[in-house]
Amino acid sequence: MRLYVTHMKEMNPSELNIKTDEIRYIASSVRYDLREGVDDLTVRITNEGVTKIKQSQTILIIVMAISIVFIFVTLIFNSLVWGFDMQAESDRSLRLLDLMPVDENEKEMIFLPSMRTGYVKMDKEREQIMEIGKELIEFIDNKGHISELMSHFNQLMIQTYRTFQAEEKEMRNRKYDLEYAKEHTLIHLLLRQRLTMLGDQLRSSSGKLDSIRSTVRRTLSRLYDKHFCIQDIELVEEMIPPEERVMKNFGQDGDQQAENVQDGDAQSNLESTL
């Protein structure tokens, strides 16, 4: 380009115009230099902006990480304090529950006279549930080992399942009203689910039986009361004919008397058939 400028000094100025090759070359060179300069400046500005953004991102990540760690540490600290306070309040509540006066009937599971339906086949199975439950509550009170406790609890679940299955089979065999049978079966399912939840609480205690002993004990002692006192009584009255039922008697002597009466009725029916 300098050669062109030097050469133009020797030319006649009157011969120079916009269409002259030298002028056109110089103009294109200037435009090219300007474009290159602008492009280089743009690249520098862009690179500097990217660098600043990366630095800002790094600083932001560091600040966020520090904030998260601080929040996490604060949460753990507050949770520990809250947990210790709740444990202390729980222990205090359990001690207060132990000091509360309890009615004699609430101390254990008892097959009350009002629970008897007069249908010995059902009463024997239901009474067996209460006997196993009574032994389980006594074992809880004695603070036995968790493995032995769960063994007793499994016996209660098995007896409950067997009793409810027998009742449901009885309803099917006697063609009991489908709607009422479905409702009664649903109650059986709910009771078994509640029993399973109590078992899960005992199983999860893993050596800390005292912390849930009162809750499980009180719930278990009244788990079957409504079903045995009301719903089973209504079921037998609607499903079992009066001649298959006997008068409600109290105690084991009453059970033996009821069995003898039913055995006598069965023998009489057999003889009349023959």
Side-chain angles (χ1 to χ4, degrees), residues 92-274:
R92 181 184 177 188
S93 299
L94 290 173
R95 288 195 297 270
L96 292 176
L97 285 174
D98 291 336
L99 294 175
M100 290 177 61
V102 181
D103 185 77
E104 287 296 324
N105 290 333
E106 294 184 357
K107 291 184 178 180
E108 57 186 15
M109 295 175 67
I110 301 176
F111 193 67
L112 301 173
S114 58
M115 296 179 180
R116 298 186 181 276
T117 64
Y119 187 50
V120 177
K121 183 178 179 180
M122 283 182 56
D123 286 346
K124 288 181 63 177
E125 295 291 336
R126 293 156 71 243
E127 187 171 8
Q128 186 67 22
I129 289 178
M130 303 303 281
E131 288 295 330
I132 297 176
K134 179 180 178 181
E135 294 176 1
L136 176 60
I137 289 179
E138 291 176 353
F139 200 82
I140 292 177
D141 291 339
N142 294 331
K143 301 181 180 180
H145 192 270
I146 186 64
S147 60
E148 298 180 5
L149 177 61
M150 292 309 303
S151 176
H152 283 73
F153 193 88
N154 290 335
Q155 293 180 16
L156 178 61
M157 293 188 66
I158 293 172
Q159 179 62 31
T160 300
Y161 176 78
R162 185 174 65 181
T163 301
F164 288 170
Q165 287 293 307
E167 289 184 16
E168 294 167 11
K169 181 179 179 181
E170 191 83 24
M171 289 188 289
R172 290 193 298 269
N173 292 340
R174 294 180 181 270
K175 295 180 173 53
Y176 187 55
D177 183 270
L178 292 179
E179 191 66 28
Y180 291 155
K182 182 178 179 181
E183 181 179 352
H184 205 82
T185 302
L186 179 60
I187 295 173
H188 286 171
L189 178 61
L190 293 176
L191 288 174
R192 288 172 52 201
Q193 287 178 345
R194 292 187 64 188
L195 192 63
T196 302
M197 291 175 62
L198 291 176
D200 292 339
Q201 290 182 357
L202 289 175
R203 190 177 294 105
S204 62
S205 62
S206 63
K208 299 179 180 179
L209 187 60
D210 290 341
S211 61
I212 61 172
R213 176 174 58 87
S214 297
T215 302
V216 174
R217 185 183 184 283
R218 290 174 181 272
T219 304
L220 185 62
S221 63
R222 287 293 174 261
L223 180 62
Y224 300 91
D225 285 4
K226 181 179 179 181
H227 184 62
F228 283 2
C229 289
I230 300 176
Q231 293 154 351
D232 277 350
I233 299 295
E234 294 176 352
L235 173 68
V236 171
E237 290 178 351
E238 296 174 357
M239 183 178 67
I240 306 299
E243 59 270 15
E244 296 186 32
R245 286 181 275 146
V246 296
M247 295 180 59
K248 297 182 182 180
N249 298 282
F250 302 158
Q252 295 181 352
D253 295 338
D255 289 342
Q256 185 63 41
Q257 181 179 352
E259 292 180 10
N260 293 337
V261 172
Q262 283 198 346
D263 291 341
D265 291 343
Q267 183 66 26
S268 299
N269 293 335
L270 179 60
E271 292 176 355
S272 62
T273 303
L274 295 175

Side-chain angles (χ1 to χ4, degrees), residues 33-50:
D33 291 342
L34 288 174
R35 184 171 62 251
E36 288 293 323
V38 171
D39 291 343
D40 183 65
L41 183 61
T42 302
V43 171
R44 290 183 180 182
I45 294 174
T46 303
N47 292 337
E48 185 176 358
V50 171

